[in-house]
Amino acid sequence: MEWIQETGRIYAVGEDGKLLAEVTFPEKDGIAQINHTFVDESLRGQGVAGKLLEEVSQKLRKEGKKAVPICSYAVKWFEKHPEYSDLLSSFQNS
């Protein structure tokens, strides 16, 4: 699956242009807020959401940015992946 990266968004589309997977992480006060994760029903159970979170985590680490997981999937993913805990901001979502 090929990821398309935009400011505050990483996603993939099918050959027909249909959105297949997406994570959004707009910045607020310089901190990326991971607020939405979506995977099309046809891809669920294949680890796609986890790959999205890895992509955004690697991007943030490369850019020296911090994150606040807001959506429930991102919260759980960071709990299960302590190797990315250095990305978590000490600031809470306001």
Side-chain angles (χ1 to χ4, degrees):
M1 184 170 295
E2 187 175 327
W3 301 118
I4 302 165
Q5 294 194 15
E6 296 178 349
T7 301
R9 180 182 186 215
I10 297 174
Y11 65 102
V13 294
E15 292 179 10
D16 59 359
K18 179 182 175 186
L19 182 65
L20 296 176
E22 171 184 58
V23 62
T24 58
F25 48 100
E27 285 189 29
K28 182 177 179 182
D29 300 324
I31 299 169
Q33 297 190 3
I34 304 172
N35 64 1
H36 171 72
T37 305
F38 165 78
V39 175
D40 186 75
E41 202 171 291
S42 66
L43 296 173
R44 292 194 183 148
Q46 299 179 35
V48 174
K51 290 175 186 173
L52 274 171
L53 268 288
E54 283 183 34
E55 281 291 316
V56 72
S57 295
Q58 290 171 6
K59 177 179 175 58
L60 294 174
R61 184 174 278 156
K62 182 179 177 183
E63 295 174 356
K65 295 182 178 177
K66 296 288 186 181
V68 173
I70 296 172
C71 78
S72 60
Y73 183 83
V75 170
K76 291 175 188 171
W77 188 87
F78 275 99
E79 288 173 358
K80 292 179 182 178
H81 294 87
E83 66 272 24
Y84 291 106
S85 63
D86 62 300
L87 296 175
L88 297 176
S89 171
S90 58
F91 298 103
Q92 295 298 314
N93 180 33
S94 52

